[in-house]
Amino acid sequence: MTTPETERALRLTVLVGESDGWHHRPVFTEIVHRAHRAGLSGASVFRGIEGFGASSMIHTQRLLSLSEDLPVAVVIVDTEARIRAFLPLVEELVADGGLVVLDECEIVRFGGEREREQGR
């Protein structure tokens, strides 16, 4: 068994409400499209089933208390330089609310993934 290759990276997580909008489009969708145009390595959106934010109001997916504003997390992992260059594009989208988190992380490359990355 070989030791997998790793590289240092930065994880950007943007937490917003599902109903947060930007020019008639969900904020989370706008973040994904901006990340794509910026050439970042990828973006994923995760919908929460329950949570609360600055308003302290709990939003939940449970049937008896349906919410239209569930928490949403957009997660992007790339090099530190590319993530930091992308931050101004996120800033205008979350200026009225939302939380932006940066975490140092490591990307683990296994054989098949490394070959796919080199082939693009």
Side-chain angles (χ1 to χ4, degrees):
M1 186 171 180
T2 62
T3 303
E5 208 176 290
T6 65
E7 62 184 273
R8 298 184 69 63
L10 205 58
R11 177 178 46 222
L12 166 66
T13 305
V14 183
L15 301 164
V16 294
E18 185 177 38
S19 67
D20 293 349
W22 175 261
H23 297 278
H24 310 291
R25 182 181 212 175
V27 167
F28 61 87
T29 298
E30 183 65 20
I31 293 169
V32 169
H33 286 262
R34 288 183 182 199
H36 186 257
R37 284 193 306 270
L40 296 178
S41 62
S44 297
V45 178
F46 300 94
R47 183 175 187 233
I49 57 172
E50 189 166 23
F52 70 93
S55 71
S56 292
M57 184 173 170
I58 293 181
H59 304 276
T60 183
Q61 186 179 353
R62 287 180 280 153
L63 187 60
L64 295 178
S65 60
L66 290 176
S67 175
E68 296 178 6
D69 194 24
L70 292 169
V72 175
V74 182
V75 179
I76 303 168
V77 178
D78 210 316
T79 64
E80 180 174 357
R82 293 176 76 177
I83 291 292
R84 291 198 184 279
F86 184 67
L87 285 175
L89 298 175
V90 173
E91 180 181 14
E92 68 179 318
L93 300 174
V94 297
D96 294 332
L99 179 66
V100 177
V101 180
L102 294 174
D103 298 298
E104 290 181 2
C105 61
E106 281 185 81
I107 296 173
V108 179
R109 301 260 186 220
F110 295 102
E113 184 174 328
R114 185 173 38 246
E115 291 166 11
R116 281 192 301 274
E117 289 290 321
Q118 292 171 352
R120 51 171 178 156

